[in-house]
Amino acid sequence: MRKTAIMLMVMLPLCGITLSAQSRGAGLWTDISLSSGNLLLDSPLGDGSKTLQQTDYAADAVLGWRVNSHLAIGAGVTASCVIKSGAYSFPLYMRLRYDILDRAVSPYLNLDLGWSLAARSFLSEEVVRVADEPFHTLDCRYVEYGNPDMYYRKGLVAALTAGVSVRIERGNRLYFGVTAGVCQVSHGVDVRGADGTVTNYATAVKGPDIRTVLVPTHESFRERLRPEIRFRIGFEL
């Protein structure tokens, strides 16, 4: 009896591994993950170097179609919050996933491409004073804002994830990965003028007195692109 119990204890995990090694065919595909990452930005020291900054936490949800045991494609949304500033953004994207091996343990690749929306309310011109550059008089208008380092994703997002997935019960997979990509970012504050136009103020300069103020920031599409790196854990079924 004791030998039988020991054999059952050994065989049951093996049976589970055998079952989990079954391949999946075409069908509905869902991918849910959590991640944490950083943007690669200019060092605060001003020495020209780059450092990882603006740590955020994010949750992803993707819904799509599994073509076969290797390939799946879907559309997803991410909710991201930067720890330092509390700024939120919501990237919308298409995801292409490829499991390299049809085995219980397999390396995988994810390719994401989309556009990020920023959950930022515009400040009214009645609430802030807006600066003209250069400062001509002491009564010029300017922005005084307490957190010009509030970075948030806004615009193009593109990323490649590489990692390892483990097939578990009923063919579902638990996976771990590292994501490297680029995204457009904005920071500072957006001000809506009396005529309805919106201007971003993020460049800090000396004001007409001893205070540092923000003036209009004009960046090209490429200048707003910043590299980012993320660590991810997820579950797909």
Side-chain angles (χ1 to χ4, degrees):
M1 185 68 180
R2 185 176 179 181
K3 290 183 179 180
T4 302
I6 293 174
M7 289 180 65
L8 286 173
M9 291 175 64
V10 173
M11 290 298 294
L12 283 174
L14 293 178
C15 290
I17 293 174
T18 301
L19 290 173
S20 68
Q22 294 177 351
S23 300
R24 287 184 299 173
L28 191 65
W29 172 61
T30 305
D31 186 351
I32 301 171
S33 66
L34 300 174
S35 66
S36 179
N38 295 86
L39 297 172
L40 186 63
L41 302 171
D42 295 332
S43 171
L45 300 177
D47 56 3
S49 63
K50 304 287 186 180
T51 59
L52 291 172
Q53 304 172 48
Q54 304 294 323
T55 302
D56 80 313
Y57 292 120
D60 298 57
V62 178
L63 182 63
W65 186 261
R66 174 165 289 281
V67 180
N68 52 44
S69 59
H70 295 282
L71 182 65
I73 186 170
V77 60
T78 297
S80 168
C81 179
V82 179
I83 304 305
K84 180 179 178 180
S85 64
Y88 285 89
S89 56
F90 298 92
L92 307 173
Y93 54 89
M94 296 295 296
R95 172 168 293 177
L96 183 67
R97 179 185 176 93
Y98 187 75
D99 291 291
I100 298 174
L101 303 175
D102 186 13
R103 296 181 180 177
V105 179
S106 171
Y108 76 90
L109 296 173
N110 269 356
L111 179 62
D112 295 338
L113 183 63
W115 193 267
S116 182
L117 307 175
R120 293 292 309 278
S121 60
F122 295 119
L123 297 180
S124 168
E125 193 174 13
E126 288 73 35
V127 178
V128 297
R129 288 176 290 179
V130 181
D132 295 319
E133 189 181 7
F135 299 104
H136 295 294
T137 64
L138 292 181
D139 62 349
C140 65
R141 304 181 312 168
Y142 58 90
V143 165
E144 289 185 290
Y145 188 60
N147 191 6
D149 291 330
M150 180 180 281
Y151 282 81
Y152 51 95
R153 290 162 177 78
K154 182 180 180 181
L156 177 70
V157 290
L160 178 66
T161 303
V164 175
S165 66
V166 180
R167 194 176 292 147
I168 53 179
E169 185 180 4
R170 294 188 298 274
N172 301 330
R173 283 187 176 272
L174 178 69
Y175 65 86
F176 308 88
V178 177
T179 300
V182 293
C183 60
Q184 284 190 284
V185 299
S186 291
H187 67 288
V189 58
D190 291 328
V191 177
R192 187 189 300 278
D195 61 352
T197 60
V198 176
T199 304
N200 178 258
Y201 286 76
T203 304
V205 300
K206 283 294 182 182
D209 47 32
I210 61 174
R211 286 171 292 186
T212 297
V213 298
L214 301 179
V215 296
T217 300
H218 305 285
E219 291 182 308
S220 68
F221 181 89
R222 290 184 61 185
E223 288 173 332
R224 288 181 53 208
L225 282 174
R226 297 291 187 272
E228 70 169 336
I229 186 169
R230 315 188 64 79
F231 297 93
R232 187 180 304 276
I233 179 172
F235 181 75
E236 59 160 344
L237 64 157

